Amino acid sequence: MAKFHLTKIIPLANSDYNSTVYGDITIKGVRKTITFPANVYITQFTVVIESAKFSLNRRDFKVFYQSSLKDYFIKNEMDIQFKLSTEKLDNENRTPVKKKK
């Protein structure tokens, strides 16, 4: 299982991506602080983050393979890319806020 805790979003100008995202990723109990470029869109009701493809070293997270060929055919870099979106919640009722029409 992996977890990502977003800590900061810094806007970028003149780039293929509009932001740099900072956060802590935990994989197999190992936590590392990472940054990556992403397009971030924030509205009154949602946040959408579309990351660029970025790599993490599997060995940093104790991801090893039992095969005798493990380090000859399996790259150390794990490529990651994701898209996530959120909805604003009504904190009192823990339900999505209705968009006004």
Side-chain angles (χ1 to χ4, degrees):
M1 181 166 98
K3 283 194 231 181
F4 180 72
H5 176 80
L6 180 83
T7 56
K8 180 171 38 174
I9 298 173
I10 303 291
L12 293 174
N14 304 319
S15 176
D16 290 339
Y17 293 90
N18 67 14
S19 301
T20 299
V21 175
Y22 293 75
D24 298 319
I25 190 164
T26 304
I27 300 174
K28 294 186 71 174
V30 177
R31 187 179 82 193
K32 299 278 184 188
T33 299
I34 63 170
T35 64
F36 53 87
N39 282 318
V40 178
Y41 308 101
I42 301 171
T43 70
Q44 182 179 357
F45 298 102
T46 62
V47 175
V48 175
I49 299 174
E50 298 177 18
S51 79
K53 186 185 286 187
F54 62 98
S55 297
L56 299 174
N57 189 315
R58 66 179 170 86
R59 291 172 177 244
D60 291 343
F61 298 94
K62 299 179 185 174
V63 176
F64 300 106
Y65 296 93
Q66 300 303 317
S67 167
S68 61
L69 301 174
K70 61 185 175 188
D71 292 324
Y72 300 105
F73 295 106
I74 300 171
K75 295 188 329 185
N76 288 334
E77 299 301 314
M78 302 183 292
D79 291 336
I80 298 174
Q81 185 173 22
F82 63 87
K83 178 178 179 179
L84 66 93
S85 62
T86 65
E87 288 185 340
K88 184 176 181 181
L89 293 180
D90 173 343
N91 286 329
E92 192 172 306
N93 299 314
R94 302 301 293 167
T95 58
V97 172
K98 302 282 190 232
K99 294 180 182 177
K100 296 178 183 175
K101 294 183 180 185

